[in-house]
PDB file of all heavy atoms in Angstrom:
ATOM      1  N   ALA U  30     110.163 220.093  67.391  1.00  0.00           N
ATOM      2  CA  ALA U  30     109.965 220.225  68.836  1.00  0.00           C
ATOM      3  C   ALA U  30     109.502 218.919  69.464  1.00  0.00           C
ATOM      4  O   ALA U  30     110.014 218.508  70.516  1.00  0.00           O
ATOM      5  CB  ALA U  30     108.954 221.339  69.118  1.00  0.00           C
ATOM      6  N   ILE U  31     108.539 218.237  68.830  1.00  0.00           N
ATOM      7  CA  ILE U  31     108.046 216.995  69.428  1.00  0.00           C
ATOM      8  C   ILE U  31     109.089 215.888  69.321  1.00  0.00           C
ATOM      9  O   ILE U  31     109.155 214.999  70.184  1.00  0.00           O
ATOM     10  CB  ILE U  31     106.713 216.562  68.773  1.00  0.00           C
ATOM     11  CG1 ILE U  31     106.056 215.438  69.591  1.00  0.00           C
ATOM     12  CG2 ILE U  31     106.920 216.128  67.341  1.00  0.00           C
ATOM     13  CD1 ILE U  31     105.764 215.793  71.023  1.00  0.00           C
ATOM     14  N   SER U  32     109.944 215.934  68.306  1.00  0.00           N
ATOM     15  CA  SER U  32     111.034 214.957  68.220  1.00  0.00           C
ATOM     16  C   SER U  32     112.032 215.163  69.354  1.00  0.00           C
ATOM     17  O   SER U  32     112.488 214.196  69.981  1.00  0.00           O
ATOM     18  CB  SER U  32     111.743 215.073  66.867  1.00  0.00           C
ATOM     19  OG  SER U  32     110.854 214.789  65.806  1.00  0.00           O
ATOM     20  N   LEU U  33     112.362 216.411  69.617  1.00  0.00           N
ATOM     21  CA  LEU U  33     113.272 216.701  70.727  1.00  0.00           C
ATOM     22  C   LEU U  33     112.658 216.302  72.061  1.00  0.00           C
ATOM     23  O   LEU U  33     113.329 215.729  72.927  1.00  0.00           O
ATOM     24  CB  LEU U  33     113.625 218.189  70.734  1.00  0.00           C
ATOM     25  CG  LEU U  33     114.493 218.695  69.575  1.00  0.00           C
ATOM     26  CD1 LEU U  33     114.623 220.209  69.634  1.00  0.00           C
ATOM     27  CD2 LEU U  33     115.871 218.043  69.610  1.00  0.00           C
ATOM     28  N   LEU U  34     111.375 216.604  72.228  1.00  0.00           N
ATOM     29  CA  LEU U  34     110.716 216.292  73.494  1.00  0.00           C
ATOM     30  C   LEU U  34     110.574 214.788  73.709  1.00  0.00           C
ATOM     31  O   LEU U  34     110.948 214.264  74.767  1.00  0.00           O
ATOM     32  CB  LEU U  34     109.335 216.948  73.540  1.00  0.00           C
ATOM     33  CG  LEU U  34     108.519 216.658  74.807  1.00  0.00           C
ATOM     34  CD1 LEU U  34     109.075 217.439  75.986  1.00  0.00           C
ATOM     35  CD2 LEU U  34     107.044 216.987  74.594  1.00  0.00           C
ATOM     36  N   SER U  35     110.038 214.098  72.697  1.00  0.00           N
ATOM     37  CA  SER U  35     109.689 212.690  72.879  1.00  0.00           C
ATOM     38  C   SER U  35     110.894 211.761  72.842  1.00  0.00           C
ATOM     39  O   SER U  35     110.955 210.793  73.605  1.00  0.00           O
ATOM     40  CB  SER U  35     108.671 212.259  71.817  1.00  0.00           C
ATOM     41  OG  SER U  35     109.222 212.422  70.520  1.00  0.00           O
ATOM     42  N   TYR U  36     111.849 212.048  71.967  1.00  0.00           N
ATOM     43  CA  TYR U  36     112.990 211.138  71.851  1.00  0.00           C
ATOM     44  C   TYR U  36     114.201 211.614  72.651  1.00  0.00           C
ATOM     45  O   TYR U  36     114.702 210.898  73.529  1.00  0.00           O
ATOM     46  CB  TYR U  36     113.395 210.955  70.387  1.00  0.00           C
ATOM     47  CG  TYR U  36     114.589 210.029  70.240  1.00  0.00           C
ATOM     48  CD1 TYR U  36     114.438 208.658  70.403  1.00  0.00           C
ATOM     49  CD2 TYR U  36     115.858 210.534  69.981  1.00  0.00           C
ATOM     50  CE1 TYR U  36     115.527 207.805  70.303  1.00  0.00           C
ATOM     51  CE2 TYR U  36     116.955 209.687  69.872  1.00  0.00           C
ATOM     52  CZ  TYR U  36     116.790 208.324  70.032  1.00  0.00           C
ATOM     53  OH  TYR U  36     117.873 207.491  69.944  1.00  0.00           O
ATOM     54  N   VAL U  37     114.671 212.828  72.363  1.00  0.00           N
ATOM     55  CA  VAL U  37     115.908 213.297  72.992  1.00  0.00           C
ATOM     56  C   VAL U  37     115.726 213.465  74.503  1.00  0.00           C
ATOM     57  O   VAL U  37     116.563 213.017  75.298  1.00  0.00           O
ATOM     58  CB  VAL U  37     116.371 214.618  72.348  1.00  0.00           C
ATOM     59  CG1 VAL U  37     117.617 215.151  73.054  1.00  0.00           C
ATOM     60  CG2 VAL U  37     116.651 214.411  70.865  1.00  0.00           C
ATOM     61  N   LEU U  38     114.624 214.108  74.911  1.00  0.00           N
ATOM     62  CA  LEU U  38     114.432 214.368  76.335  1.00  0.00           C
ATOM     63  C   LEU U  38     113.791 213.191  77.065  1.00  0.00           C
ATOM     64  O   LEU U  38     114.244 212.811  78.147  1.00  0.00           O
ATOM     65  CB  LEU U  38     113.573 215.620  76.527  1.00  0.00           C
ATOM     66  CG  LEU U  38     114.165 216.934  76.010  1.00  0.00           C
ATOM     67  CD1 LEU U  38     113.250 218.096  76.364  1.00  0.00           C
ATOM     68  CD2 LEU U  38     115.559 217.166  76.580  1.00  0.00           C
ATOM     69  N   TYR U  39     112.725 212.612  76.488  1.00  0.00           N
ATOM     70  CA  TYR U  39     111.995 211.576  77.230  1.00  0.00           C
ATOM     71  C   TYR U  39     112.570 210.176  77.023  1.00  0.00           C
ATOM     72  O   TYR U  39     112.965 209.514  77.982  1.00  0.00           O
ATOM     73  CB  TYR U  39     110.515 211.581  76.852  1.00  0.00           C
ATOM     74  CG  TYR U  39     109.775 210.451  77.521  1.00  0.00           C
ATOM     75  CD1 TYR U  39     109.466 210.520  78.873  1.00  0.00           C
ATOM     76  CD2 TYR U  39     109.446 209.293  76.819  1.00  0.00           C
ATOM     77  CE1 TYR U  39     108.831 209.466  79.512  1.00  0.00           C
ATOM     78  CE2 TYR U  39     108.813 208.240  77.452  1.00  0.00           C
ATOM     79  CZ  TYR U  39     108.504 208.329  78.790  1.00  0.00           C
ATOM     80  OH  TYR U  39     107.890 207.286  79.420  1.00  0.00           O
ATOM     81  N   PHE U  40     112.594 209.696  75.785  1.00  0.00           N
ATOM     82  CA  PHE U  40     112.932 208.291  75.547  1.00  0.00           C
ATOM     83  C   PHE U  40     114.353 207.965  75.985  1.00  0.00           C
ATOM     84  O   PHE U  40     114.602 206.900  76.566  1.00  0.00           O
ATOM     85  CB  PHE U  40     112.748 207.955  74.067  1.00  0.00           C
ATOM     86  CG  PHE U  40     113.000 206.506  73.756  1.00  0.00           C
ATOM     87  CD1 PHE U  40     112.055 205.545  74.077  1.00  0.00           C
ATOM     88  CD2 PHE U  40     114.184 206.103  73.161  1.00  0.00           C
ATOM     89  CE1 PHE U  40     112.284 204.204  73.809  1.00  0.00           C
ATOM     90  CE2 PHE U  40     114.421 204.771  72.889  1.00  0.00           C
ATOM     91  CZ  PHE U  40     113.467 203.817  73.212  1.00  0.00           C
ATOM     92  N   ARG U  41     115.295 208.849  75.731  1.00  0.00           N
ATOM     93  CA  ARG U  41     116.678 208.565  76.103  1.00  0.00           C
ATOM     94  C   ARG U  41     116.883 208.570  77.612  1.00  0.00           C
ATOM     95  O   ARG U  41     117.863 208.010  78.106  1.00  0.00           O
ATOM     96  CB  ARG U  41     117.615 209.569  75.434  1.00  0.00           C
ATOM     97  CG  ARG U  41     117.643 209.439  73.914  1.00  0.00           C
ATOM     98  CD  ARG U  41     118.585 210.431  73.281  1.00  0.00           C
ATOM     99  NE  ARG U  41     119.963 210.192  73.669  1.00  0.00           N
ATOM    100  CZ  ARG U  41     120.987 210.940  73.274  1.00  0.00           C
ATOM    101  NH1 ARG U  41     120.776 211.981  72.482  1.00  0.00           N
ATOM    102  NH2 ARG U  41     122.209 210.673  73.669  1.00  0.00           N
ATOM    103  N   ARG U  42     115.951 209.178  78.346  1.00  0.00           N
ATOM    104  CA  ARG U  42     116.060 209.184  79.803  1.00  0.00           C
ATOM    105  C   ARG U  42     115.212 208.102  80.452  1.00  0.00           C
ATOM    106  O   ARG U  42     115.596 207.550  81.483  1.00  0.00           O
ATOM    107  CB  ARG U  42     115.643 210.550  80.356  1.00  0.00           C
ATOM    108  CG  ARG U  42     116.621 211.670  80.035  1.00  0.00           C
ATOM    109  CD  ARG U  42     116.113 213.009  80.555  1.00  0.00           C
ATOM    110  NE  ARG U  42     117.075 214.080  80.298  1.00  0.00           N
ATOM    111  CZ  ARG U  42     116.849 215.356  80.585  1.00  0.00           C
ATOM    112  NH1 ARG U  42     115.692 215.726  81.121  1.00  0.00           N
ATOM    113  NH2 ARG U  42     117.772 216.270  80.323  1.00  0.00           N
ATOM    114  N   HIS U  43     114.044 207.790  79.878  1.00  0.00           N
ATOM    115  CA  HIS U  43     113.095 206.892  80.537  1.00  0.00           C
ATOM    116  C   HIS U  43     112.841 205.598  79.766  1.00  0.00           C
ATOM    117  O   HIS U  43     112.416 204.615  80.360  1.00  0.00           O
ATOM    118  CB  HIS U  43     111.771 207.621  80.776  1.00  0.00           C
ATOM    119  CG  HIS U  43     111.923 208.873  81.579  1.00  0.00           C
ATOM    120  ND1 HIS U  43     112.049 208.865  82.957  1.00  0.00           N
ATOM    121  CD2 HIS U  43     112.002 210.175  81.207  1.00  0.00           C
ATOM    122  CE1 HIS U  43     112.175 210.114  83.394  1.00  0.00           C
ATOM    123  NE2 HIS U  43     112.151 210.923  82.355  1.00  0.00           N
ATOM    124  N   GLY U  44     113.029 205.597  78.450  1.00  0.00           N
ATOM    125  CA  GLY U  44     113.020 204.360  77.685  1.00  0.00           C
ATOM    126  C   GLY U  44     111.677 203.704  77.431  1.00  0.00           C
ATOM    127  O   GLY U  44     111.641 202.513  77.118  1.00  0.00           O
ATOM    128  N   TYR U 100     105.336 215.451  80.582  1.00  0.00           N
ATOM    129  CA  TYR U 100     105.667 215.320  79.160  1.00  0.00           C
ATOM    130  C   TYR U 100     104.402 215.274  78.309  1.00  0.00           C
ATOM    131  O   TYR U 100     104.357 215.827  77.205  1.00  0.00           O
ATOM    132  CB  TYR U 100     106.483 214.048  78.927  1.00  0.00           C
ATOM    133  CG  TYR U 100     107.951 214.190  79.225  1.00  0.00           C
ATOM    134  CD1 TYR U 100     108.473 213.793  80.449  1.00  0.00           C
ATOM    135  CD2 TYR U 100     108.822 214.715  78.280  1.00  0.00           C
ATOM    136  CE1 TYR U 100     109.824 213.912  80.725  1.00  0.00           C
ATOM    137  CE2 TYR U 100     110.178 214.836  78.545  1.00  0.00           C
ATOM    138  CZ  TYR U 100     110.669 214.439  79.767  1.00  0.00           C
ATOM    139  OH  TYR U 100     112.012 214.568  80.035  1.00  0.00           O
ATOM    140  N   THR U 103     102.991 218.735  77.941  1.00  0.00           N
ATOM    141  CA  THR U 103     103.872 219.543  77.098  1.00  0.00           C
ATOM    142  C   THR U 103     103.706 219.184  75.630  1.00  0.00           C
ATOM    143  O   THR U 103     103.727 220.067  74.762  1.00  0.00           O
ATOM    144  CB  THR U 103     105.334 219.350  77.525  1.00  0.00           C
ATOM    145  OG1 THR U 103     105.466 219.652  78.918  1.00  0.00           O
ATOM    146  CG2 THR U 103     106.260 220.262  76.729  1.00  0.00           C
ATOM    147  N   LEU U 128     109.273 225.869  76.478  1.00  0.00           N
ATOM    148  CA  LEU U 128     108.757 224.587  76.959  1.00  0.00           C
ATOM    149  C   LEU U 128     109.835 223.506  76.953  1.00  0.00           C
ATOM    150  O   LEU U 128     109.957 222.725  77.909  1.00  0.00           O
ATOM    151  CB  LEU U 128     107.571 224.150  76.100  1.00  0.00           C
ATOM    152  CG  LEU U 128     106.278 224.946  76.284  1.00  0.00           C
ATOM    153  CD1 LEU U 128     105.234 224.521  75.262  1.00  0.00           C
ATOM    154  CD2 LEU U 128     105.738 224.773  77.690  1.00  0.00           C
ATOM    155  N   LEU U 129     110.623 223.452  75.896  1.00  0.00           N
ATOM    156  CA  LEU U 129     111.671 222.435  75.824  1.00  0.00           C
ATOM    157  C   LEU U 129     112.754 222.676  76.873  1.00  0.00           C
ATOM    158  O   LEU U 129     113.269 221.727  77.474  1.00  0.00           O
ATOM    159  CB  LEU U 129     112.286 222.418  74.424  1.00  0.00           C
ATOM    160  CG  LEU U 129     111.364 221.926  73.303  1.00  0.00           C
ATOM    161  CD1 LEU U 129     112.040 222.091  71.953  1.00  0.00           C
ATOM    162  CD2 LEU U 129     110.969 220.470  73.520  1.00  0.00           C
ATOM    163  N   THR U 130     113.079 223.935  77.107  1.00  0.00           N
ATOM    164  CA  THR U 130     114.089 224.245  78.122  1.00  0.00           C
ATOM    165  C   THR U 130     113.603 223.873  79.516  1.00  0.00           C
ATOM    166  O   THR U 130     114.355 223.310  80.327  1.00  0.00           O
ATOM    167  CB  THR U 130     114.450 225.737  78.075  1.00  0.00           C
ATOM    168  OG1 THR U 130     114.932 226.071  76.764  1.00  0.00           O
ATOM    169  CG2 THR U 130     115.521 226.072  79.099  1.00  0.00           C
ATOM    170  N   VAL U 131     112.350 224.183  79.796  1.00  0.00           N
ATOM    171  CA  VAL U 131     111.785 223.841  81.107  1.00  0.00           C
ATOM    172  C   VAL U 131     111.808 222.333  81.330  1.00  0.00           C
ATOM    173  O   VAL U 131     112.189 221.848  82.405  1.00  0.00           O
ATOM    174  CB  VAL U 131     110.354 224.395  81.228  1.00  0.00           C
ATOM    175  CG1 VAL U 131     109.647 223.806  82.445  1.00  0.00           C
ATOM    176  CG2 VAL U 131     110.384 225.912  81.334  1.00  0.00           C
ATOM    177  N   MET U 132     111.427 221.557  80.319  1.00  0.00           N
ATOM    178  CA  MET U 132     111.424 220.105  80.464  1.00  0.00           C
ATOM    179  C   MET U 132     112.842 219.550  80.565  1.00  0.00           C
ATOM    180  O   MET U 132     113.090 218.586  81.295  1.00  0.00           O
ATOM    181  CB  MET U 132     110.688 219.462  79.285  1.00  0.00           C
ATOM    182  CG  MET U 132     109.209 219.793  79.235  1.00  0.00           C
ATOM    183  SD  MET U 132     108.333 219.372  80.761  1.00  0.00           S
ATOM    184  CE  MET U 132     108.521 217.591  80.778  1.00  0.00           C
ATOM    185  N   TYR U 133     113.779 220.148  79.836  1.00  0.00           N
ATOM    186  CA  TYR U 133     115.169 219.685  79.907  1.00  0.00           C
ATOM    187  C   TYR U 133     115.742 219.896  81.307  1.00  0.00           C
ATOM    188  O   TYR U 133     116.365 218.993  81.884  1.00  0.00           O
ATOM    189  CB  TYR U 133     116.019 220.427  78.878  1.00  0.00           C
ATOM    190  CG  TYR U 133     117.502 220.150  79.011  1.00  0.00           C
ATOM    191  CD1 TYR U 133     118.056 218.974  78.517  1.00  0.00           C
ATOM    192  CD2 TYR U 133     118.341 221.061  79.653  1.00  0.00           C
ATOM    193  CE1 TYR U 133     119.413 218.713  78.651  1.00  0.00           C
ATOM    194  CE2 TYR U 133     119.698 220.805  79.791  1.00  0.00           C
ATOM    195  CZ  TYR U 133     120.227 219.634  79.288  1.00  0.00           C
ATOM    196  OH  TYR U 133     121.566 219.378  79.438  1.00  0.00           O
ATOM    197  N   VAL U 134     115.505 221.077  81.858  1.00  0.00           N
ATOM    198  CA  VAL U 134     116.047 221.381  83.184  1.00  0.00           C
ATOM    199  C   VAL U 134     115.267 220.645  84.271  1.00  0.00           C
ATOM    200  O   VAL U 134     115.848 220.058  85.191  1.00  0.00           O
ATOM    201  CB  VAL U 134     116.022 222.902  83.431  1.00  0.00           C
ATOM    202  CG1 VAL U 134     116.468 223.223  84.853  1.00  0.00           C
ATOM    203  CG2 VAL U 134     116.913 223.617  82.422  1.00  0.00           C
ATOM    204  N   ASP U 136     113.592 217.877  84.248  1.00  0.00           N
ATOM    205  CA  ASP U 136     113.746 216.419  84.278  1.00  0.00           C
ATOM    206  C   ASP U 136     115.205 216.003  84.157  1.00  0.00           C
ATOM    207  O   ASP U 136     115.493 214.854  83.827  1.00  0.00           O
ATOM    208  CB  ASP U 136     112.926 215.786  83.143  1.00  0.00           C
ATOM    209  CG  ASP U 136     112.808 214.270  83.303  1.00  0.00           C
ATOM    210  OD1 ASP U 136     112.656 213.800  84.444  1.00  0.00           O
ATOM    211  OD2 ASP U 136     112.890 213.557  82.282  1.00  0.00           O
ATOM    212  N   PRO U 138     118.675 214.531  85.072  1.00  0.00           N
ATOM    213  CA  PRO U 138     119.033 213.525  86.089  1.00  0.00           C
ATOM    214  C   PRO U 138     119.807 214.086  87.274  1.00  0.00           C
ATOM    215  O   PRO U 138     119.755 213.518  88.371  1.00  0.00           O
ATOM    216  CB  PRO U 138     119.894 212.528  85.296  1.00  0.00           C
ATOM    217  CG  PRO U 138     119.499 212.717  83.872  1.00  0.00           C
ATOM    218  CD  PRO U 138     119.149 214.168  83.733  1.00  0.00           C
TER     219      PRO U 138
END
Side-chain angles (χ1 to χ4, degrees):
I31 192 58
S32 298
L33 292 174
L34 178 74
S35 60
Y36 179 75
V37 177
L38 297 184
Y39 175 75
F40 183 76
R41 294 181 64 181
R42 290 177 178 176
H43 303 280
Y100 278 97
T103 305
L128 288 173
L129 292 174
T130 302
V131 168
M132 294 305 296
Y133 172 79
V134 175
D136 192 39

